[in-house]
Amino acid sequence: MQRNNDALLKKLIEEHELNCFTKSKKFIVDNPLALSIDDLSRLAEMANGLQESTAAYYTDPKTVQTLCQQLPQIHKRTLKILEPSVGVGNILRQVIHYYKGLFDSIECDVFDINQHSLEICEIFIQKEFSDFNNLKINYIYGDFLTYQLKKKYDLVVGNPPFMKIKGAYRENLRQEFNNSVADNISAFFLDKSILLSNYVVLIMPKYFLHNFDFSMSREKIKNTNIQCITDFGETGFKGVLIETICLFLDTKSENISGTKVISVPKKIELIQDQNEITQSFFPNWLIYINENFKKLVSEMSFGIFNVFRDRQITSKLLEPTGDIWVIKSKNIPRSGDKIIHIEDDVFIKKSALAKLGVNKYLERDDVFLSPNMTYYPRVVVKPKNCVVNGSVAILELKPDMSITETDLLFFASPEFEEFYRIARNHSTRSLNIDNIAIFYFGKRNHCVQ
């Protein structure tokens, strides 16, 4: 069977009723079709009915191979590893293969909140490492974040869940890890991991680089040795549209040789100054800074706009004809010098608009419009007697700020486009014009030729 052929694996799950854990476990133990462990692992994840509630997703073997290529060199006789969210062991198995033969023994503590996943993980480990007598694994069914650990490790490695949490659970974790802004559970996994180990290797959502709720976690690792940041883009999880990175941290030493930045989608590898990545001038970390970017920064003034975006104008409120023209991103051409009518223009009734926040901009022509979700930035003046839907952001100059037509055309230039891609870390998701993105829509100093 072709590796990770999801259609065939899904068919097996249906035919053998593998959504039932007892049957799934027996199928994996017996392996009647002689599937590879990678295929069995993928099958186990697909059959896992708790995926959505635990944010547990299959880490592609190629992703794990790339991760293992950057694992730290550790000089000890016994290696102590912690995997805080092991799942069925996709990462753990390859990490053990990487270090096997380099140590007299390997000891692992592995956590998961899904008892079934732990049982399957143990089966896979026994299948793959039956001849490795000096491997000891302690399988812990429980929540890594609330479990009291008194020992230290040489390496924490894994792929924590990415999901928003709230309520008493979140507030307790915020207090426990001194992180008053974190909403995503992966932030707490990182916060705890850096307290437990010399080396930390964790897959994180790429929005870790810019989201406010990760800001305190970024500060905590800012002065560690960030040895490498691998950008997987959307390749990290098969069938899941989320961008990921992997952080490789040495928590006990200073960075004297730079941070390696690897882009899997762009197939590039850079050595970057860690202080430039983690600088405080910009509102987010920047992993692809180059000389052209730095030159343009020296010629610009930033933070001149406030941004407004209203998602209340939904399709059910729109009509092909009507009182008020609703501008969409498609109404703003790449040239960035005008707003145009298109064949599928839409309108909204005055009575419906009156109830929405965007109504306050209806008669204003002293604000500006910029499309969301694009790498082709452009900013145009908003005409009177129109509003925008959620695909367009409204930009308002801050007090005492001014802007010229030349400044507006600069935002549509190839030079600013490349600058903006670096500012957004070459992301393919989370491209809305928000409080982070709007910072970069700066004014170029007119003395620059």
Side-chain angles (χ1 to χ4, degrees):
M1 177 183 292
Q2 183 180 353
R3 176 182 289 182
N4 298 333
N5 190 323
D6 285 2
L8 291 178
L9 294 178
K10 188 176 294 185
K11 185 177 179 181
L12 285 179
I13 292 171
E14 294 172 354
E15 289 178 350
H16 296 268
E17 299 179 337
L18 301 183
N19 284 320
C20 169
F21 174 69
T22 303
K23 294 182 179 180
S24 176
K25 182 177 179 179
K26 185 177 187 305
F27 185 92
I28 290 170
V29 171
D30 296 342
N31 194 11
L33 301 180
L35 302 180
S36 70
I37 286 187
D38 282 340
D39 278 329
L40 287 175
S41 175
R42 176 61 170 157
L43 182 146
E45 294 283 4
M46 292 175 66
N48 178 7
L50 296 178
Q51 246 185 24
E52 292 185 4
S53 61
T54 61
Y57 292 102
Y58 176 79
T59 312
D60 191 84
K62 291 183 179 179
T63 297
V64 186
Q65 291 169 12
T66 303
L67 179 155
C68 287
Q69 290 170 7
Q70 305 302 322
L71 285 173
Q73 301 300 311
I74 301 172
H75 304 288
K76 297 184 70 175
R77 299 189 67 177
T78 297
L79 176 65
K80 296 181 179 179
I81 297 175
L82 169 66
E83 224 285 30
S85 53
V86 71
V88 298
N90 297 323
I91 294 177
L92 179 67
R93 295 196 313 275
Q94 289 201 42
V95 170
I96 293 172
H97 275 299
Y98 178 85
Y99 285 118
K100 182 183 176 183
L102 300 178
F103 297 87
D104 292 345
S105 60
I106 297 177
E107 300 175 2
C108 305
D109 285 348
V110 300
F111 282 83
D112 209 276
I113 61 173
N114 186 331
Q115 179 69 46
H116 292 168
S117 292
L118 278 178
E119 291 182 32
I120 298 300
C121 177
E122 186 170 5
I123 292 169
F124 288 150
I125 293 293
Q126 291 172 349
K127 282 178 176 287
E128 198 153 348
F129 299 100
S130 59
D131 61 341
F132 189 6
N133 296 324
N134 294 325
L135 173 65
K136 179 181 178 182
I137 299 184
N138 181 28
Y139 298 92
I140 305 170
Y141 170 45
D143 185 347
F144 164 71
L145 295 176
T146 58
Y147 195 95
Q148 296 300 312
L149 285 166
K150 297 181 179 179
K151 61 194 294 189
K152 298 289 186 178
Y153 300 87
D154 302 306
L155 173 67
V156 175
V157 60
N159 171 26
F162 312 155
M163 64 180 181
K164 295 267 188 175
I165 55 173
K166 56 185 177 180
Y169 181 59
R170 182 190 68 181
E171 297 311 310
N172 290 338
L173 293 177
R174 283 181 168 184
Q175 184 174 358
E176 173 73 18
F177 299 112
N178 189 27
N179 191 333
S180 60
V181 301
D183 286 323
N184 195 298
I185 198 170
S186 61
F188 298 115
F189 271 79
L190 178 61
D191 290 354
K192 185 167 185 175
S193 296
I194 61 177
L195 300 175
L196 295 173
S197 179
N198 292 344
Y199 294 98
V200 174
V201 177
L202 288 183
I203 295 175
M204 299 289 285
K206 189 172 178 178
Y207 49 78
F208 171 86
L209 298 172
H210 65 264
N211 270 20
F212 174 74
D213 62 327
F214 286 102
S215 58
M216 293 189 74
S217 295
R218 289 196 297 268
E219 282 297 310
K220 290 179 181 182
I221 68 169
K222 181 176 181 178
N223 295 317
T224 66
N225 180 353
I226 305 175
Q227 295 182 323
C228 180
I229 300 175
T230 298
D231 179 4
F232 293 112
E234 296 184 30
T235 68
F237 296 115
K238 188 176 180 64
V240 181
L241 297 178
I242 185 171
E243 293 183 276
T244 57
I245 59 173
C246 189
L247 300 172
F248 297 80
L249 311 175
D250 177 351
T251 65
K252 303 299 181 183
S253 71
E254 295 183 7
N255 187 318
I256 58 175
S257 57
T259 297
K260 183 185 293 185
V261 174
I262 300 170
S263 170
V264 173
K266 296 178 71 66
K267 296 180 172 59
I268 60 172
E269 183 176 310
L270 310 168
I271 300 296
Q272 302 285 65
D273 185 332
Q274 178 172 322
N275 291 327
E276 289 187 346
I277 290 174
T278 64
Q279 44 59 50
S280 57
F281 177 77
F282 298 109
N284 58 307
W285 282 10
L286 299 170
I287 60 176
Y288 294 111
I289 287 179
N290 59 23
E291 292 303 317
N292 288 337
F293 183 92
K294 289 187 282 188
K295 180 177 183 297
L296 198 51
V297 166
S298 70
E299 300 170 357
M300 292 179 67
S301 299
F302 296 95
I304 67 173
F305 288 111
N306 290 317
V307 63
F308 174 88
R309 183 172 175 230
D310 192 340
R311 302 183 185 181
Q312 292 180 296
I313 297 185
T314 57
S315 57
K316 66 181 181 180
L317 297 176
L318 299 175
E319 300 175 353
T321 61
D323 303 327
I324 306 297
W325 183 25
V326 178
I327 296 174
K328 301 182 290 187
S329 59
K330 291 192 293 184
N331 293 111
I332 307 175
R334 286 271 298 275
S335 60
D337 59 349
K338 56 191 170 184
I339 297 175
I340 61 174
H341 286 282
I342 55 178
E343 185 176 347
D344 56 345
D345 269 345
V346 290
F347 300 83
I348 188 171
K349 292 180 178 178
K350 286 184 179 180
S351 58
L353 180 62
K355 303 173 184 178
L356 308 180
V358 73
N359 182 57
K360 64 185 176 181
Y361 291 100
L362 176 61
E363 295 300 329
R364 292 185 61 176
D365 61 359
D366 60 342
V367 295
F368 307 88
L369 307 180
S370 183
N372 279 299
M373 296 302 294
T374 180
Y375 259 137
Y376 303 106
R378 57 265 195 205
V379 178
V380 296
V381 177
K382 177 195 167 295
K384 287 186 176 182
N385 198 36
C386 65
V387 291
V388 300
N389 71 0
S391 69
V392 178
I394 297 177
L395 315 185
E396 188 169 359
L397 284 169
K398 292 181 178 180
D400 301 322
M401 294 291 180
S402 62
I403 199 164
T404 67
E405 184 177 347
T406 300
D407 295 326
L408 296 179
L409 290 174
F410 169 61
F411 295 131
S413 69
E415 186 178 15
F416 184 79
E417 179 189 320
E418 180 57 30
F419 172 87
Y420 188 65
R421 288 175 182 268
I422 293 173
R424 303 311 301 268
N425 287 310
H426 292 292
S427 295
T428 54
R429 307 245 158 216
S430 302
L431 288 179
N432 288 317
I433 308 296
D434 55 14
N435 290 327
I436 300 295
I438 197 58
F439 175 86
Y440 294 97
F441 285 78
K443 183 175 181 179
R444 197 170 192 182
N445 301 326
H446 289 300
C447 61
V448 177
Q449 299 298 319

